[in-house]
Amino acid sequence: MNIMKRISKQGIDLYMILISAGIFLFLLLSGTFFDLDFSKLVYTPRNFLSYFVEYLGTLSSAVIFSLSGVLLFLYFKNSKRYKYGYIYKYMCLALILLAGAFWGYDTFDHYLSKSIYAVGIGVLVITPFSYLFYLDLKRKYEINFARIAVIIIIAFACSTLLTFGIKTLICRPRYYYLVSQDMSYYRNWYEISFVKSGYPGVAMKTYLESFPSGHSSFSALNYLLLLFPFVKKDNRNKRIVYISVTIYCLLVMFGRILDGHHYLSDVAFGYFIGTASVFLSTIFIKHNVNDVKDSEKKRKEKILQRKLKEEQNN
């Protein structure tokens, strides 16, 4: 009962968990029996959706991660509880740079001669988004800014470590590799192997990193939007955001299957890792009571100051 109350309080409704679990189970069961058949049926190399997903499929989640740096920057800027808050404030900018570097490296490193170019592109793309967030949020200092930032960081950390950790350990060849080599190298998701030798023509290690899907995992991190006050306070907004993110996830997953990067079971597990990281982090990370009191006090002071200014102007 306590878990259910906490779930409802954090802006996540039970139907969201049930639908997300249903999507995962449906894709997993379908993939268990039809992974290879479905990939053969839909395989379409060099299609628009796959290109869109590859370059922009994880951009939205990277932008959300950069937002954690903005939120913590504002938190330390407004809080007087920390002796060296000004140092922490600028350390938060590293999260913005990290978000850009990670997205740029993951998206463009395979296509550019030097990794530094990919990282630079990522930082240049992410930084303007972060500045726009700052301009908007600096006028709206909220009670739960720090908590939202912590949830974002933990959800991303869990999703990243699990996804890329499993990718590195489990060697499952991608479908487009099978097309260029031999279908006999196909393995189902439960036929776990840690051996990378024995696969001919493996020019890049990513050829054997089909399981699970990183793009699917990171697209599901967009469920973090459910945490924000303008969503939590309105059930209609929550439903719209949840449905929109779910459709977006399905498009990303289908796009990754279309060009042979993943199978149904790959995207199923990627979706599960991302969704579980968001929901569990949201449910179990509580408010800091002292931070809430301090933030509420500052919010009331700002409202009072605004009213006094309006009265003076009138």
Side-chain angles (χ1 to χ4, degrees):
M1 180 63 79
N2 290 333
I3 293 293
M4 294 308 302
K5 287 182 179 179
R6 190 179 296 178
I7 290 172
S8 178
K9 186 178 180 181
Q10 306 313 332
I12 296 174
D13 293 327
L14 182 60
Y15 75 85
M16 298 178 184
I17 296 177
L18 293 176
I19 292 174
S20 297
I23 291 172
F24 164 66
L25 291 174
F26 175 77
L27 291 174
L28 179 61
L29 288 172
S30 300
T32 300
F33 297 103
F34 306 110
D35 253 354
L36 189 56
D37 293 332
F38 188 76
S39 291
K40 288 179 179 178
L41 178 65
V42 303
Y43 181 56
T44 311
R46 296 182 294 278
N47 65 86
F48 173 78
L49 179 60
S50 297
Y51 280 130
F52 178 82
V53 167
E54 183 171 6
Y55 291 107
L56 299 177
T58 57
L59 177 59
S60 56
S61 57
V63 169
I64 291 176
F65 184 81
S66 73
L67 179 56
S68 68
V70 177
L71 294 173
L72 287 177
F73 180 88
L74 288 169
Y75 173 74
F76 287 115
K77 179 181 178 182
N78 287 279
S79 178
K80 305 299 182 183
R81 296 178 59 237
Y82 300 93
K83 186 177 180 181
Y84 299 104
Y86 67 96
I87 297 177
Y88 303 144
K89 182 174 68 173
Y90 290 104
M91 286 176 63
C92 296
L93 298 179
L95 293 172
I96 298 172
L97 298 178
L98 180 63
F102 180 81
W103 178 74
Y105 179 82
D106 184 60
T107 305
F108 300 107
D109 185 55
H110 302 314
Y111 305 100
L112 299 175
S113 57
K114 293 184 179 180
S115 298
I116 190 66
Y117 297 153
V119 169
I121 291 174
V123 172
L124 287 175
V125 171
I126 292 294
T127 301
F129 287 106
S130 302
Y131 184 65
L132 291 174
F133 283 135
Y134 171 75
L135 293 178
D136 181 57
L137 294 173
K138 71 177 183 178
R139 303 189 301 271
K140 307 173 183 177
Y141 184 62
E142 294 282 351
I143 295 172
N144 51 2
F145 270 10
R147 177 177 177 271
I148 293 174
V150 170
I151 291 175
I152 291 174
I153 293 169
I154 290 178
F156 267 82
C158 291
S159 183
T160 303
L161 291 174
L162 284 172
T163 301
F164 287 97
I166 296 172
K167 269 181 179 291
T168 304
L169 289 174
I170 297 179
C171 306
R172 190 184 191 192
R174 298 184 188 272
Y175 180 76
Y176 68 74
Y177 168 79
L178 300 181
V179 172
S180 64
Q181 296 296 324
D182 191 331
M183 289 292 172
S184 64
Y185 290 108
Y186 169 78
R187 288 187 296 102
N188 214 317
W189 67 268
Y190 51 80
E191 297 173 330
I192 297 174
S193 173
F194 304 104
V195 180
K196 294 185 178 181
S197 60
Y199 291 98
V202 180
M204 299 172 64
K205 66 176 183 179
T206 56
Y207 289 177
L208 302 179
E209 293 183 352
S210 181
F211 182 87
S213 167
H215 279 71
S216 302
S217 175
F218 291 125
S219 66
L221 290 172
N222 287 280
Y223 283 123
L224 287 163
L225 293 172
L226 294 167
L227 295 174
F228 289 90
F230 78 94
V231 175
K232 288 176 63 176
K233 294 176 182 178
D234 191 324
N235 282 329
R236 182 172 175 273
N237 283 345
K238 280 199 297 184
R239 287 192 293 270
I240 291 173
V241 169
Y242 177 76
I243 293 171
S244 299
V245 173
T246 300
I247 293 172
Y248 168 74
C249 289
L250 293 172
L251 286 173
V252 169
M253 290 188 280
F254 185 62
R256 297 303 280 170
I257 297 172
L258 266 181
D259 62 358
H261 274 80
H262 294 288
Y263 307 95
L264 280 168
S265 55
D266 296 337
V267 299
F269 273 98
Y271 175 77
F272 171 76
I273 291 172
T275 305
S277 298
V278 172
F279 288 175
L280 292 176
S281 299
T282 303
I283 293 167
F284 290 105
I285 295 177
K286 300 179 180 179
H287 291 282
N288 183 308
V289 176
N290 293 326
D291 288 346
V292 170
K293 289 180 179 178
D294 290 347
S295 301
E296 180 65 18
K297 183 179 178 181
K298 288 179 181 296
R299 189 182 68 83
K300 289 180 178 178
E301 288 176 354
K302 285 192 174 184
I303 292 173
L304 181 60
Q305 290 174 2
R306 195 180 300 119
K307 286 182 178 179
L308 289 174
K309 285 184 178 180
E310 290 174 356
E311 290 176 359
Q312 290 174 359
N313 293 331
N314 295 331

